[in-house]
Amino acid sequence: MKIAILPGDGIGPEIIEQAVKVLSALGESFEMETAPVGGAGYEAHGHPLPEGTLKLAKEADAVLFGAVGDWKYDTLERALRPEQAILGLRKNLNLFANLRPAILYPELAGASTLKPEVVSGLDILIIRELTGDIYFGQPRGVRTAPDGAFKGEREGFDTMRYAESEIRRIAHVAFQAARKRGKRLTSVDKANVLETFQFWKDIVTDVHKEYQDVALDHMYVDNAAMQLVRAPKKFDVIVTGNMFGDILSDAAAMLTGSIGMLPSASLDAKNKGLYEPSHGSAPDIAGKGVANPLATILSAAMMLRYSLNRAEQADRIENAVKKVLVQGLRTPDIYEEGTRKVGTVEMGDAVVQALQ
Ligand code: IPM
Ligand code: MG
């Protein structure tokens, strides 16, 4: 089993180091190879997704990804900015299904900005389509407006589009995931305004015929945003498009107290995947040793479960994380009075200890 390790920028390298430490402590013989990506790729090879990095990601059985981005690259042309690395990996590896679980560990109920009774016991799964929608739709750009009230003016434009097979395959992933959980699926759209999402709704409804044991409902994205902060526990699995999923998954992450706790998996049709924490590169705290490595460690657990067929090892890691939380260890993002504040490395070491 070969794992491509792509640490990236900002806090990426420090959190990845902890996850690699945990993986190495499992007693399995994984081959791990590291390559630069994002700003680090640009510095090393003049491109955020260097050829060698993409090649490694393609030939590996799974990819463990840290985070990319730094303000200092904001003035580069778009094609050279760090974010292009993750978008390029998703597209090139066909990682169309993004799984973002939001689980609230009971010990962290007080760390959420929402009332404990609203979030305690939260366990939802957001499934975000990841290679289509307005993120990748062509044409896009800046042009002279060809028509409309602002004809002749400069305008920026993007294209929202979804093909039928694109919607079908993500709907299948979502129904199957719901089947393994609470058997409830909410499809989030904007069918009241957008053609693309009326079509989305119609196709999801059609796929539902094959999954009559799963209860399906549809919700507009604005209402879904409201329900996520009003009564998040009413959800089981949510499926939505690329852009709505980007926004809703950040909101869902905050329900759990800290985005520093949330792993994610991005899978292709054969469950090959890229695993990354849901949070970004946080350049403001990079190198200070205070970043929370748990989202990355939990992403490694998802990798073992979904791509490497090592469910027991995934359980071991997840249980070890629960154990360190019960022990009261907290990085600053989840710290509360009465707990013990630790840094990135200490947290990683504690998880390794708890594996034994
Ligand atoms: C995410 C991020 C990315 C996205 C950015 C970094 C391109 O926000 O993974 O949610 O928008 O998909
Ligand atoms: Mg995002």
Side-chain angles (χ1 to χ4, degrees), residues 21-41:
K21 194 160 75 183
V22 171
L23 282 170
S24 305
L26 292 175
E28 300 253 359
S29 55
F30 298 121
E31 190 193 334
M32 298 193 244
E33 193 178 328
T34 304
V37 76

Side-chain angles (χ1 to χ4, degrees), residues 185-206:
L185 177 64
T186 304
S187 171
V188 171
D189 62 55
K190 190 72 186 172
N192 51 343
V193 178
L194 301 171
E195 299 298 334
T196 310
F197 275 92
Q198 179 62 56
F199 185 60
W200 169 284
K201 184 175 179 178
D202 294 344
I203 299 299
V204 173
T205 303
D206 193 51

